[in-house]
């Protein structure tokens, strides 16, 4: 009865928190989510398809898109660009589908700047003590290095202030249930839909 | 790992939309919701228990509580007061339980004023056309009366602006699923929990 636009959901969180596992589990369930397809300058590998695995671009094309602010976020790894094309996201949302993006904290902050109407979900480690032990006991690192890593982890976690939701990844099924609830409840938010309901009201109840 | 306060959820909406049915179905499912117990000046009936069915008060006691702003909302029906005691709600929330209140639109507006941190859910009729037909074809009413009722229905629906969520009651199971998702996702909202997580961070990750 209501024609609704899709919503962009961004799942992020500190390294090693299990973002990929939660995303994979989420996509194995029945839902109407579209995974955001990245754009890259790296070469297409055998079996990969343009517009399925990635959107493949030349370095020149990619840099032109950066200039035109056509990427919600991008980064360079091993001399190649990777990014999230704004056009694909906006067209998919306009067609009424939700888009799901799983991404590192730095990338999420870029998306926040370029697409603040997205819904930002921060995946929180199940236990900070465990995270700490992992950092401290990593091996034969100097105390200085260990302290640096602890600081980095704290900084990453303090970025949760920019997010709308925090989900603890204590068990992957719990985390997926919560993310699913967030997706469903965001579609019920009055500020998203009240305008459309009022239009309906004017048309039908007069 | 986090000690969390409960949340007050208020389900409301226009007369006849099916609030009671959704509430009953919700409470048949497994969850940790406590139903808000009302206070009344009407006499206790056989089999009823104080603090279970209602909190029973004299007219004098009730009016004193009104003066002391100890009711989140109240109204008079058939010469008796009915209301929602603030103390019961606040103590239940402090003990970590969510409280659920199903109430008419006018009462919900009072709660909004007295307890703005509640989460307000507006139950929307499945079809405005059906609502209109019900009003128009109610019988032998004058055209003036019919127009009056249409206006009232419009006014009630326009009150949705004060709500956080809108849920369409197309099927009771769908509505209950959505209300359940809202309850779960509200517990993940960063602005509710970030402070506690940061405290944890200071304690553990240093």
């Amino acid at each position: 009865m209501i024609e609704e636009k899709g919503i962009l959901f961004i799942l992020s969180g500190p390294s090693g928190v299990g973002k990929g596992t939660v995303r994979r589990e989420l996509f194995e369930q029945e839902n109407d989510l579209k995974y955001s397809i990245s754009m890259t300058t790296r070469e297409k590998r055998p079996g990969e398809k343009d517009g399925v695995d990635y959107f493949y671009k030349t370095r020149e094309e990619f840099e032109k898109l950066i200039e035109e602010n056509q990427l919600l976020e991008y980064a360079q790894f091993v001399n190649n660009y990777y990014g999230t094309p704004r056009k694909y996201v906006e067209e998919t949302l306009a067609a009424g589908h939700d888009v799901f993006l799983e991404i590192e904290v730095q990338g999420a902050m870029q998306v926040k700047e370029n697409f603040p109407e997205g819904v930002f979900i921060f995946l929180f480690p199940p236990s900070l003590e465990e995270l700490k032990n992992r950092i401290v006991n990593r091996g034969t690192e100097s105390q200085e290095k260990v302290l640096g890593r602890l600081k980095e982890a704290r900084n990453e976690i303090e970025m949760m202030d920019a997010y709308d939701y925090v989900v603890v990844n204590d068990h992957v099924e719990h985390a997926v249930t919560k993310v699913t609830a967030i997706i469903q409840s965001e579609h019920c938010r009055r500020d998203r839909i009240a305008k459309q309901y009022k239009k309906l009201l004017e048309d039908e109840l007069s």
Side-chain angles (χ1 to χ4, degrees), chain A:
Chain A
M1 116 200 212
I2 292 276
E3 268 183 45
E4 216 187 317
K5 266 187 66 176
I7 301 172
L8 175 62
F9 293 95
I10 298 95
L11 181 72
S12 188
S15 319
V17 73
K19 297 185 286 291
T21 314
V22 169
R23 186 250 305 161
R24 275 188 297 275
E25 186 68 25
L26 183 68
F27 272 84
E28 287 202 354
Q29 302 193 356
E30 203 188 335
N31 58 47
D32 194 32
L33 286 177
K34 303 283 175 195
Y35 190 65
S36 169
I37 299 165
S38 293
M39 190 171 277
T40 185
T41 57
R42 83 148 166 73
E43 270 189 43
K44 190 159 66 176
R45 292 174 190 155
E48 287 185 352
K49 276 187 188 161
D50 189 42
V52 176
D53 298 286
Y54 284 98
F55 297 108
Y56 301 91
K57 298 284 171 190
T58 65
R59 199 166 177 87
E60 204 175 28
E61 288 169 332
F62 203 105
E63 285 174 347
K64 189 155 177 281
L65 290 169
I66 294 173
E67 268 172 41
E68 293 169 348
N69 193 26
Q70 285 298 312
L71 292 155
L72 296 183
E73 56 80 34
Y74 70 94
Q76 284 205 57
F77 297 108
V78 204
N79 224 17
N80 275 310
Y81 283 119
Y82 294 81
T84 303
R86 178 188 291 275
K87 192 166 165 253
Y88 172 76
V89 169
E90 289 186 342
E91 286 176 356
T92 311
L93 297 178
H97 303 290
D98 292 337
V99 178
F100 192 87
L101 180 57
E102 176 233 318
I103 194 170
E104 299 298 324
V105 172
Q106 301 297 340
M109 292 301 91
Q110 287 185 52
V111 178
K112 177 86 180 174
E113 201 157 301
N114 289 314
F115 205 87
E117 61 268 46
V119 174
F120 292 79
I121 305 172
F122 190 89
L123 202 62
F124 199 84
S127 150
L128 286 173
E129 211 179 330
E130 198 194 302
L131 187 68
K132 186 181 172 181
N133 288 341
R134 255 196 342 234
I135 293 170
V136 173
N137 304 324
R138 197 171 280 189
T140 54
E141 282 180 341
S142 66
Q143 208 196 341
E144 200 184 334
K145 255 193 176 163
V146 167
L147 288 174
R149 280 189 200 281
L150 281 172
K151 199 175 166 213
E152 201 184 304
R154 260 205 306 279
N155 289 346
E156 277 197 320
I157 290 175
E158 274 174 5
M159 284 193 192
M160 75 163 79
D161 279 346
Y163 289 73
D164 300 298
Y165 296 95
V166 177
V167 168
V168 181
N169 192 18
D170 48 359
H171 296 288
V172 63
E173 306 81 39
H174 294 177
V176 168
T177 303
K178 285 175 181 172
V179 171
T180 306
I182 290 166
I183 291 169
Q184 193 161 26
S185 79
E186 277 289 324
H187 280 280
C188 298
R189 281 189 56 170
R190 191 258 314 154
D191 47 5
R192 284 190 196 284
I193 55 185
K195 258 191 206 161
Q196 291 150 293
Y197 279 98
K198 291 217 176 141
K199 174 79 174 60
L200 214 71
L201 197 65
E202 290 308 312
D203 295 350
E204 290 188 24
L205 210 63
S206 52

